[in-house]
Every structure is written in structure tokens, then in C-alpha cells.
Amino acid sequence: MRRFSIKHNGQEEVQSLIHRLRSYRLVRNLLIGFILVAICNLLFSSLFYTPKMFRLADERRALKLKYEILENRIASAQRQLEQIRHRDNFVYRPLFSSDTLSIDGVYDRYADSKYASIEGNDYSPVMKRMWQQMDQLARSLYLESKSMDELQILSEDKERFSTSVPAIWPIDRSKLRNKIGAFGYRNHPVLRRWKFHSGVDMPGRVGDPIYATGDGVVEYVERSRARYGYGTQILIDHGYGYKTRYAHLNKLLVEKGDTITRGQLIAEMGNTGISTAPHLHYEVIYNRTHVNPINYFDQNMSAEAYKSLMGQIQDANYEAE
């Protein structure tokens, strides 16, 4: 009985082993089959186009065409915007004697990190380029929108604007005693290096009358006999983004908050602050940026008169700032 039991158990173990071997062979054959099918599919797809590949190729061409159309539309919109900007700067603004509107940073490109999310595929270069173009277009549209808003205000209040723009000489031209000190970079008389000069210098005599060049409100006055800075000065806010400064004065005839009209006597020329000779330092500031005051003197002057005025300007130093 015991011998029969041992024999029976041995037969079960043999049958179990045979069953496992068959299972392993089946799994192995299935794996080999899958591998062979995958290899065949890879070889077939590399040598022949499948219907799916044809469909994907068509979709790729269609997508590329859409990108090209979009890029052309962006370029067309940019050209139209540039035409509007040109008319703004050279047609509309000259009608109102207004400087070109500028917004700091509007033409600066965004950092590349802004476009990091679209990196990593075949279309990344063209997508990034178009996003950059659209971003620039949006910022240019914002600039032009602000400019048009400003022009609308100017058109609704043209009469007041025309008297507010600083458009006359701040002194009697007949009282000029020498050349006009130029606006812009010039050689500093003390530091012996190039330094930006934010206005023009008009030499004369102590006590010569100084006139407001446009309607406005006195924003700031300073009475100083110290030998530094602008000395005694006046800053007038004309509105519409314009301000004017009159510096190195001897005597003030207005106070902060006074309403001023164009041509009004506001001060007397002096030699205060850092000044090497009696003169008026005169600035025109538009939207917080210093602009050349010469461009605002007698805007209706002839070409000959303007050429003569340019001949009176030199790199003169009446200040040691």
C-alpha cells in the first residue's frame, strides 16, 4: 500500500512538471510571436506607407499650411498697424503739434521662459516665432490705442491744447548775448567727459525777463542761492503730458499753484545754482522724457529762419552740472 502511494505521488509530480513545461512553451511561443509581429510591423511601416501614415502625413501638411497662413496674417496685420502708426506720427500728431507717444518697454521682447511650455516638438520653432510676433503685435496695438485715445482728447479740446503746448521763446531773442547752449550730449567742462544736457541755455543779463511758453499751472518753485543744481527755478505743468523748467533764475514772479498764460512774465534771468554766466536753462518735458526745446520755438518759422536758428546753437557751457 505504501509502495503504491509513493508511485502514485511520483506520477502526479511528473504530470505537473509536464503541464508547467507546456505552459512555459506556450508563453514563450506567444512572446516570440508578438516580437516577430512587432518586427514585421516596424519593417513594413519603415518601407511602406500605411493608411494611417498617409492620414498623419495629410494632417501634418494641413497643420503646416495653417501655421503659414496664420503667420502671413500676423505679418499683414503688422504692416497695416505700421501704416496707421505712420499716419499717427506724420499726419495726425503734426496737426496738434504733439510729440510721438512712447511707452517704455513696449518694443522689448519677452524672456524666452515665457515660451518654455511650447518647447519640445517639431513645431516648437515656428510656434515660438508666431507667439513672439503676436505678443509684439498686441503690445503695438496697445501703444497705438493709447495714442489714438490721446489724439481724441486733443481733437476735442484743440483750442485749449494749442495754447498749452510750449510754443514760443521764453526770452526776448533780441537780448541773447551769445550762442545758445545745445540740447543733448556735450563735453562736461569740469568732469571732462560727455554728459547729457537736458535743455538749452540762453545767455543774457541778470534781470532779463523770462516768459511762460504755454498756458499751465506752476507745479514747483525753488528759491536758492546755493552754488549747486538748478538754483532758483520754476516748473510749469501745461497738461497733455507737457512740462517746462526755467532754471538759474534771479527772481521769481509767480508762486506754486498759480495759473499761467502763454507769454506771461514769470521770472528774471539770473546766475544761481551751478552756473558760469547769467543765462536761462530751459527744458521741455513730454511724458516724463526731455525733448529738444528748439523744436518748439516758433513752429511756423520758415526754413531759412530755422536754419539761422541752428547756426546760433553750439556746444556752449554756461553750467558746470
Side-chain angles (χ1 to χ4, degrees), residues 42-199:
L42 179 63
L43 290 173
F44 185 81
S45 60
S46 7
L47 298 175
F48 306 97
Y49 262 49
T50 64
K52 181 179 180 180
M53 294 178 68
F54 276 113
R55 186 175 70 254
L56 290 175
D58 289 340
E59 292 176 356
R60 185 185 182 92
R61 284 192 293 270
L63 184 59
K64 184 178 179 181
L65 179 60
K66 289 178 180 179
Y67 276 131
E68 291 176 353
I69 293 173
L70 178 58
E71 194 166 17
N72 289 333
R73 288 181 176 178
I74 294 172
S76 176
Q78 188 64 49
R79 287 193 297 270
Q80 294 177 15
L81 183 61
E82 288 172 358
Q83 293 175 4
I84 295 173
R85 185 72 175 157
H86 180 82
R87 291 197 299 271
D88 180 7
N89 292 336
F90 299 99
V91 179
Y92 307 142
R93 288 189 170 271
L95 290 175
F96 298 103
S97 303
S98 177
D99 275 358
T100 299
L101 178 65
S102 177
I103 299 177
D104 292 339
V106 75
Y107 293 113
D108 295 342
R109 299 179 68 174
Y110 289 115
D112 287 340
S113 58
K114 182 179 187 295
Y115 311 101
S117 61
I118 61 176
E119 297 288 353
N121 62 69
D122 294 340
Y123 293 101
S124 292
V126 66
M127 290 171 65
K128 180 178 179 180
R129 184 173 66 251
M130 282 193 294
W131 271 113
Q132 289 173 333
Q133 292 173 350
M134 286 191 291
D135 284 340
Q136 186 55 61
L137 180 62
R139 296 168 84 173
S140 298
L141 283 169
Y142 172 75
L143 173 64
E144 196 53 40
S145 174
K146 298 294 289 185
S147 181
M148 290 300 176
D149 289 343
E150 184 179 276
L151 286 175
Q152 181 179 358
I153 294 173
L154 296 179
S155 65
E156 293 172 352
D157 199 10
K158 188 176 187 303
E159 183 176 354
R160 183 169 176 267
F161 170 77
S162 64
T163 60
S164 297
V165 175
I168 66 171
W169 285 71
I171 66 169
D172 183 347
R173 289 181 60 183
S174 65
K175 295 184 180 298
L176 273 175
R177 297 191 64 191
N178 206 330
K179 298 285 187 177
I180 298 174
F183 170 85
Y185 283 93
R186 64 182 186 179
N187 193 20
H188 194 284
V190 175
L191 301 178
R192 301 300 178 187
R193 62 179 174 81
W194 288 96
K195 188 174 184 297
F196 184 74
H197 185 229
S198 57

Side-chain angles (χ1 to χ4, degrees), residues 7 16 29 37 43 56-57 60 65 79 114 123 142 157 218 220 241 245 268 271 276 293 305-306 309:
K7 184 177 180 181
S16 176
N29 292 338
V37 169
L43 290 173
L56 290 175
R60 185 185 182 92
L65 179 60
R79 287 193 297 270
K114 182 179 187 295
Y123 293 101
Y142 172 75
D157 199 10
V218 178
Y220 174 77
R245 187 191 309 278
E268 294 179 359
N271 193 27
T276 59
Y306 186 81
L309 174 61

